[in-house]
Amino acid sequence: MLYGAFDVGGTSIKYGVVDEQGSIVFKSHMATETRAGGPAVVKQIKTVTTALKDMYALTGIAISTAGQIDNREGKVVHATESIPGYTGLPIKRELEKACQLPVVVDNDVNCAALGEYWKGAAQGTENFLCMTLGTGIGGSIVDVGEIYTGASFSAGEFGHMTLYPNGKSCPCGDKGCYEMYASSRALEERAQEYWKRGVSLPKLFEEARNGEKTAELMIDRWVSDVALGIKTLVHVFNPPLLVIGGGVSAQGDFLLNKVKKQVFAHIMPSFQRSLQLKMAENGNEANLQGAVFQWIAANGSERSF
Ligand code: BMX
Ligand code: ZN
């Protein structure tokens, strides 16, 4: 069985075709038309779905997207201004009408968490937290193998914990939110402010690994903000595992060891004994896999582990 899968973020839309074992059969990406607003983003998904349907015999469409998502209605409950006009859009209804295929939609980090649970760093762990560092910071709370959704499908918005009261303005409308300091975009902005030009994060990490002191200091300062948020989450949830995803997870142990050092310096001993911190293993593919995981959970067909 084949599924069309999408991962809609604040910067790009990754998409592809995934089979029922979670293997990626085809993968591509495009820029998210955030400037044109939410309806234009839904139109992008429709256009690609039509093209994918012409090439593959698809059973359904699985969508992972930024924003708080009612995964039963497949509707955006709320989205920050990082995708203007996205709030309220009935993605499932519109897409099912346009493409005549069953559609399932869920929050991007809920999908990343389930992708890592199915195929990656959280295999065999039923209770854990997942956090992705991307354009923003998303979060997911997995409780006995299922997403804890909260009262209005909005639980796990880790990016909007306050890190610095009255700090930088956030697209959510408040100030000083965690994602304004600890997302990967925030690290890019720090580098840009310092060098007065765009610096890619893989390049910045490469320089730091090669002993370039300014690059390493910049990463260390950012990691200390990343760790402050993790400290709060660990004290609230006492999780056995927290998985860190997003593009920076490709930096592996170099970054993980820095995060571990700073987190363990701040948390109480009882939490240290039980906590495992891991980098996500499947990068952005986890979102596509987790979206398909949710599609299969909702439509009741076989999922092979
Ligand atoms: C924002 C929020 C979250 C999302 C997170 C990561 C919106 C549109 N986004 O905090 O729902 O999970 O960003 O998203 O409300 P990304 O853009 O970094 O992939
Ligand atoms: Zn915010």
Side-chain angles (χ1 to χ4, degrees):
M1 231 126 29
L2 294 176
Y3 304 90
F6 291 82
D7 172 29
V8 183
T11 306
S12 66
I13 301 178
K14 287 113 187 161
Y15 59 90
V17 174
V18 180
D19 70 15
E20 76 279 4
Q21 267 134 23
S23 302
I24 313 278
V25 174
F26 162 79
K27 199 170 80 166
S28 188
H29 65 275
M30 61 190 165
T32 317
E33 288 181 13
T34 42
R35 284 221 197 107
V41 175
V42 177
K43 202 163 157 221
Q44 287 184 284
I45 302 173
K46 277 186 199 164
T47 308
V48 173
T49 302
T50 310
L52 290 178
K53 260 183 81 179
D54 284 346
M55 291 187 285
Y56 298 92
L58 300 180
T59 301
I61 304 296
I63 300 175
S64 144
T65 177
Q68 299 156 28
I69 307 298
D70 174 341
N71 62 359
R72 287 185 305 204
E73 298 274 327
K75 195 173 167 175
V76 184
V77 174
H78 184 79
T80 69
E81 282 302 302
S82 70
I83 310 183
Y86 208 36
T87 297
L89 289 182
I91 301 179
K92 175 180 163 74
R93 201 177 71 209
E94 284 196 17
L95 210 59
E96 284 184 343
K97 204 165 119 203
C99 305
Q100 299 295 308
L101 282 173
V103 174
V104 166
V105 190
D106 208 333
N107 167 269
D108 52 358
V109 188
N110 289 343
C111 292
L114 292 172
E116 293 294 329
Y117 177 57
W118 188 14
K119 300 262 133 196
Q123 269 184 75
T125 309
E126 288 206 306
N127 304 301
F128 65 99
L129 302 180
C130 179
M131 181 171 98
T132 59
L133 311 176
T135 315
I137 293 183
S140 180
I141 304 153
V142 180
D143 183 37
V144 202
E146 296 203 352
I147 301 295
Y148 174 75
T149 61
S152 57
F153 302 96
S154 306
E157 285 285 337
F158 301 161
H160 306 281
M161 299 186 285
T162 299
L163 201 65
Y164 297 109
N166 293 316
K168 292 185 192 173
S169 295
C170 177
C172 76
D174 203 5
K175 286 185 175 164
C177 294
Y178 184 41
E179 73 176 29
M180 299 313 294
Y181 298 89
S183 60
S184 58
R185 175 180 274 182
L187 177 57
E188 271 164 11
E189 283 172 2
R190 284 174 202 227
Q192 179 148 9
E193 262 166 45
Y194 184 81
W195 281 292
K196 308 284 176 229
R197 63 181 161 84
V199 178
S200 82
L201 291 189
K203 182 106 202 308
L204 184 75
F205 277 95
E206 193 190 313
E207 284 180 10
R209 279 175 206 270
N210 291 337
E212 213 284 301
K213 287 283 165 256
T214 318
E216 184 150 32
L217 190 63
M218 191 165 293
I219 291 169
D220 287 346
R221 289 203 178 131
W222 171 76
V223 167
S224 88
D225 280 346
V226 172
L228 282 180
I230 295 179
K231 175 204 164 172
T232 299
L233 293 170
V234 166
H235 285 132
V236 172
F237 291 101
N238 187 16
L241 170 67
L242 186 145
V243 178
I244 302 170
V248 288
S249 58
Q251 300 305 326
D253 284 347
F254 179 75
L255 176 59
L256 184 63
N257 290 336
K258 286 179 180 296
V259 175
K260 273 187 183 163
K261 201 169 153 205
Q262 301 229 31
V263 169
F264 280 76
H266 289 286
I267 60 177
M268 290 186 265
S270 47
F271 294 88
Q272 291 177 11
R273 281 192 289 274
S274 54
L275 177 68
Q276 256 196 306
L277 288 176
K278 284 190 184 176
M279 285 295 169
E281 289 172 5
N282 296 336
N284 294 317
E285 292 190 354
N287 295 58
L288 302 180
Q289 292 165 327
V292 169
F293 184 101
Q294 287 297 63
W295 192 100
I296 295 171
N299 291 283
S301 89
E302 289 296 303
R303 174 178 55 232
S304 37
F305 275 87

